């Protein structure tokens, strides 16, 4: 399908259901897609952080792209993460995603090696130039250890290299600079999307075009309502819905930090919630993440119940 310009609304970063044997559970994946599209979302972002892309071998990545694109069948745009360490590796993922029919690509800055801003600039220009596809920059400094400077993002946008930005940096000043600068200098159709679950109402009020919240896997209807309230200027309803979702987001603290990392806790909570809601068959997360205990799953269940989702 043709990618809307700008892309607006709620675009969940789709979780990747796995079998207990750590294969992609394609049946659960298509049910999850139906759950999201039926919830009114405006697009799907596969193979991002909430998709456990960093944990998946290339064969699993191909299965995810093929399954989702075929099942969606053009109902909403599909953005495919092509995240990897360097440009040539990213281009390999990009070719696979585009051959499967993905509508756009999402890439971080290069990582592992120390990267100069000029190299980041070259990375995105090569990706867009060699593929001819819409490219969204993913600002994720907590994982790639590089913060995308607003000036670099705006320069790439103005030159038509970037179709949009997914900002998961937590740097609200930088985010606002991109929103403000995009109004003046970016190419028409450039989208600014927040990756936050907790400040969507504020981001839309600033002028963001939409949100890419991992928690939308669990409650897509809630985020769609929140977006609609915020876009219509109903600040009170937006605030109330945002605060309900903030409470629900507390599920990510289910895991005991003495025995697991934050990714294990957060992604484990999302998958436990989807399992409890009957969307996916197993809450399995990829190695080396540590699974939630029964007591920790009860913590997730309590948040779902409080939010009216069970």
């Amino acid at each position: 399908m043709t990618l809307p310009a700008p892309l607006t609304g709620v675009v969940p970063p789709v979780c990747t259901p796995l079998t207990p044997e750590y294969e992609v559970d394609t049946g659960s994946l298509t049910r999850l897609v139906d759950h999201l599209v039926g919830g009114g979302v405006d697009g799907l972002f596969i193979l991002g952080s909430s998709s456990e892309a960093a944990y998946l071998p290339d064969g699993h990545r191909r299965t995810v792209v093929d399954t989702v694109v075929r099942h969606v069948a053009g109902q909403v745009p599909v953005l495919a993460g092509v995240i990897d360490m360097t440009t040539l590796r990213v281009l390999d993922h990009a070719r696979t995603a585009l051959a499967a029919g993905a509508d756009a690509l999402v890439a971080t800055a290069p990582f592992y090696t120390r990267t100069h801003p000029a190299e980041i600039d070259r990375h995105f220009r090569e990706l867009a130039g060699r593929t001819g596809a819409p490219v969204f920059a993913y600002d994720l400094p907590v994982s790639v250890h590089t913060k995308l400077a607003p000036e670099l993002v705006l320069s790439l946008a103005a030159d038509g290299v970037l179709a949009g930005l997914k900002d998961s940096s937590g740097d609200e000043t930088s985010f606002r600079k991109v929103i403000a600068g995009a109004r003046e200098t970016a190419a028409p159709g450039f989208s600014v999307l927040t990756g936050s679950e907790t400040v969507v109402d504020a981001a839309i009020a600033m002028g963001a075009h939409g949100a890419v919240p991992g928690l939308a896997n669990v409650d897509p209807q809630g985020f769609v309502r929140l977006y609609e309230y915020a876009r219509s200027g109903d600040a009170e309803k937006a605030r109330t819905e945002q605060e309900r979702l903030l409470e629900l987001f507390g599920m990510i603290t289910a895991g005991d930090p003495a025995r697991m990392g934050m990714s294990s806790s957060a992604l484990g909570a999302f998958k436990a919630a989807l399992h409890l809601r009957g969307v996916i068959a197993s809450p399995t997360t990829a190695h080396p993440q540590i699974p939630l205990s029964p007591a920790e799953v009860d913590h997730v269940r309590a948040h779902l119940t409080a939010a009216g989702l069970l």
Side-chain angles (χ1 to χ4, degrees):
M1 67 177 299
T2 302
L3 188 73
L7 179 63
T8 62
V10 178
V11 184
V14 183
C15 290
T16 304
L18 299 174
T19 69
E21 295 75 36
Y22 305 102
E23 298 298 326
V24 178
D25 181 349
T26 56
S28 289
L29 181 55
T30 56
R31 284 196 301 276
L32 176 54
V33 167
D34 289 340
H35 164 71
L36 297 171
V37 174
V41 304
D42 301 280
L44 300 172
F45 170 30
I46 54 175
L47 299 176
S49 302
S50 295
S51 312
E52 297 172 90
Y55 299 90
L56 301 181
D58 289 353
H60 284 45
R61 289 192 184 197
R62 285 193 297 272
T63 298
V64 169
V65 178
D66 288 341
T67 300
V68 172
V69 171
R70 184 172 60 251
H71 190 70
V72 168
Q75 296 176 81
V76 296
V78 177
L79 286 64
V82 291
I83 299 161
D84 214 318
M85 293 180 287
T86 58
T87 308
L88 295 181
R89 296 178 64 86
V90 168
L91 283 166
D92 273 351
H93 296 305
R95 294 184 189 103
T96 298
L98 294 173
D103 298 293
L105 307 172
V106 185
T108 65
F111 54 93
Y112 184 74
T113 57
R114 295 178 183 270
T115 308
H116 188 276
E119 294 162 338
I120 297 171
D121 179 273
R122 187 181 187 198
H123 172 72
F124 284 112
R125 291 182 188 276
E126 285 287 307
L127 178 57
R130 292 202 192 190
T131 64
V135 173
F136 286 72
Y138 187 178
D139 194 4
L140 189 66
V142 69
S143 295
V144 305
H145 310 297
T146 298
K147 174 75 181 75
L148 295 179
E151 297 78 13
L152 174 60
V153 171
L154 291 168
S155 172
L156 291 168
D159 289 347
V161 174
L162 293 180
L165 170 72
K166 183 203 173 197
D167 190 304
S168 295
S169 69
D171 184 337
E172 292 183 5
T173 301
S174 174
F175 184 60
R176 188 151 201 164
K177 285 181 179 179
V178 172
I179 292 171
R183 293 194 194 104
E184 303 298 328
T185 63
F190 181 74
S191 304
V192 186
L193 309 170
T194 179
S196 171
E197 282 84 0
T198 60
V199 295
V200 174
D201 58 342
I204 300 301
M206 286 183 201
H209 296 93
V212 189
L215 187 63
N217 283 276
V218 179
D219 189 3
Q221 293 94 338
F223 278 98
V224 170
R225 283 194 300 270
L226 170 57
Y227 172 76
E228 291 173 348
Y229 293 149
R231 286 288 288 178
S232 69
D234 193 331
E236 182 61 23
K237 285 185 178 179
R239 180 188 62 78
T240 299
E241 189 66 17
Q242 181 69 86
E243 290 177 359
R244 185 187 69 84
L245 290 165
L246 177 64
E247 290 299 316
L248 180 62
F249 194 52
M251 71 169 64
I252 70 166
T253 64
D256 180 356
R259 70 182 193 90
M260 69 174 66
M262 192 62 209
S263 288
S264 291
S265 180
L267 297 178
F270 289 166
K271 286 190 165 181
L274 288 167
H275 182 239
L276 289 168
R277 297 203 71 194
V279 179
I280 66 174
S282 171
T284 302
T285 51
H287 282 306
Q289 295 175 102
I290 295 170
L292 300 184
S293 69
E296 291 162 346
V297 172
D298 284 341
H299 177 94
V300 175
R301 182 183 287 108
H303 279 277
L304 291 173
T305 301
L309 298 177
L310 281 184

